[in-house]
Amino acid sequence: QVQLVESGGGLVQAGGSLRLSCAASGSIFSINVMGWYRQTPGNERELVAIVSSSSNTNYADSVKGRFTISRDNAKNTVTLQMNSLKPEDTAVYYCNADIKRRGWDKFNTYWGQGTQVTVSS
């Protein structure tokens, strides 16, 4: 079994900061890309930021310069530092990772349970 557990969501005023963390656990052999996605009611889940195993990053245009994604390969964690938050950043944020389990020959995509981020104006 593999689990992704998120933490760090909450309520913050516009202009404030939040830090989301996600830890992968279980029978993990290797993790490729890790990332964060978000979803609002009635809309599709959208990419926020991703980071490769070699720490190459990619961001949605809407968060560039405000959000920073990082990972700790030794701890199987990924973090999203969110600064200068705007009301339009309000969403449920989901952790995502491509993981190869021990004894398996391919990577599969796993999702966390989601954490609510609410930015008040």
Side-chain angles (χ1 to χ4, degrees):
Q1 279 286 52
V2 170
Q3 276 190 317
L4 298 181
V5 178
E6 301 132 338
S7 61
L11 173 64
V12 65
Q13 288 189 331
S17 298
L18 281 175
R19 186 179 180 90
L20 304 182
S21 295
C22 173
S25 63
S27 183
I28 296 170
F29 177 77
S30 178
I31 302 179
N32 192 3
V33 176
M34 303 186 80
W36 291 92
Y37 291 71
R38 65 188 182 187
Q39 189 171 23
T40 54
N43 293 307
E44 293 187 356
R45 199 169 293 186
E46 64 176 10
L47 170 72
V48 176
I50 55 174
V51 56
S52 72
S53 57
S54 56
S55 295
N56 292 317
T57 59
N58 190 30
Y59 296 91
D61 288 342
S62 59
V63 307
K64 283 181 181 177
R66 300 188 297 121
F67 292 10
T68 302
I69 189 170
S70 60
R71 65 188 282 175
D72 185 329
N73 290 330
K75 297 181 179 179
N76 291 335
T77 59
V78 61
T79 299
L80 186 69
Q81 178 66 41
M82 304 185 293
N83 299 328
S84 302
L85 281 160
K86 304 176 181 179
E88 50 264 44
D89 294 319
T90 296
V92 178
Y93 283 71
Y94 295 90
C95 176
N96 167 281
D98 291 334
I99 297 173
K100 182 186 287 187
R101 294 173 60 179
R102 296 184 191 279
W104 290 44
D105 62 358
K106 65 176 184 177
F107 286 88
N108 286 294
T109 298
Y110 294 86
W111 293 92
Q113 79 283 0
T115 185
Q116 177 70 45
V117 171
T118 302
V119 184
S120 63
S121 56

